[in-house]
Amino acid sequence: MSRRDQVLYMAGAWCLSYPDEDLLAKAPLMRAALAEFAGAVEPFQEVLDALEATPLMESQAHYVREFDLSRRHALHLSYWTDGDTRRRGEVLGSFKKAYRQSDILVDTQGELPDYLPMVLEYTALVDFAAGRELLMQYRPSLEMLKFGLLKDKLPHARILQAICATLPGKSPADEQAVMRMAGYGPPSEAVGLDPYDPRLLPVKGA
């Protein structure tokens, strides 16, 4: 288990979550924890600066616009691999099963269990090995989210880059390379999505 990765995952979970007073109060803690590791704070710097400098209601409106209403920045990992296919229910069940096997009660707080901040927090605080396995399995989702954030010039892209850098292997150079890495092939039961939508990337071993 890497202490650096634990801190990075926890900070990532918070910085990718809906901003509120509690998150704002955690900003100095995140800076201090990340500063213990060389180079760890830089990917988070711009997001933390904006959180502290922007009026909270403005930050909240921006978050809703960019993450809740934009498909390009979906934070649910199986959204990228299964979209609205009938298989997605089974996939979400696999996340719940992973949480149950940790023998820790995980409060999803109304979110689907594949919500990236929840997966990162689970990895950092509950079961590092099982959480890392989920992150590795859904590496294509992380990479596609990263490219979506990069295209729209959102500073959260650097956080995704930092998360991907903790996982084995190099990050793909572009979206087409993500598809090749994932072994691209559209699922057979898609509802409302083009069969070659990048959100329908298969996950190896799924």
Side-chain angles (χ1 to χ4, degrees):
M1 181 188 300
S2 166
R3 174 64 178 163
R4 182 184 187 279
D5 289 353
Q6 275 187 297
V7 170
L8 191 148
Y9 293 155
M10 194 67 248
W14 287 343
C15 285
L16 292 168
S17 296
Y18 180 76
D20 55 17
E21 292 285 357
D22 183 55
L23 179 59
L24 185 58
K26 290 173 179 173
L29 174 62
M30 284 188 271
R31 289 186 190 276
L34 290 164
E36 294 180 10
F37 307 95
V41 73
E42 280 79 4
F44 296 84
Q45 191 75 54
E46 193 172 348
V47 172
L48 291 173
D49 287 349
L51 179 64
E52 293 178 317
T54 308
L56 185 57
M57 289 186 65
E58 187 177 328
S59 292
Q60 291 172 335
H62 180 266
Y63 183 92
V64 170
R65 183 171 62 252
E66 297 296 348
F67 291 101
D68 291 343
L69 301 180
S70 174
R71 291 183 176 184
R72 291 194 305 275
H73 313 144
L75 292 173
H76 293 91
L77 296 178
S78 70
Y79 175 83
W80 296 94
T81 58
D82 294 275
D84 292 323
T85 65
R86 283 187 276 255
R87 193 181 72 152
R88 193 176 181 199
E90 179 182 343
V91 171
L92 293 174
S94 69
F95 280 87
K96 292 180 181 178
K97 182 179 179 181
Y99 297 155
R100 285 196 301 268
Q101 287 178 337
S102 68
D103 293 326
I104 298 291
L105 181 63
V106 176
D107 182 4
T108 62
Q109 299 179 352
E111 282 288 353
L112 294 174
D114 63 338
Y115 182 54
L116 178 56
M118 186 184 305
V119 177
L120 290 171
E121 184 170 351
Y122 169 78
T123 307
L125 299 181
V126 179
D127 191 327
F128 188 82
R132 283 259 301 183
E133 187 64 32
L134 288 172
L135 293 174
M136 288 188 288
Q137 184 180 2
Y138 284 86
R139 175 75 174 272
S141 300
L142 297 173
E143 298 286 358
M144 292 301 292
L145 171 59
K146 178 193 72 179
F147 284 122
L149 294 168
L150 283 170
K151 280 184 178 179
D152 293 331
K153 298 180 171 57
L154 293 179
H156 302 78
R158 294 196 64 198
I159 296 176
L160 266 292
Q161 288 174 324
I163 291 168
C164 289
T166 69
L167 304 176
K170 292 184 178 180
S171 284
D174 52 35
E175 289 150 318
Q176 289 70 33
V178 178
M179 296 176 192
R180 290 193 296 271
M181 178 182 77
Y184 185 80
S188 58
E189 295 181 345
V191 179
L193 291 178
D194 184 275
Y196 289 94
D197 191 297
R199 284 172 285 138
L200 298 181
L201 290 171
V203 175
K204 289 182 178 179

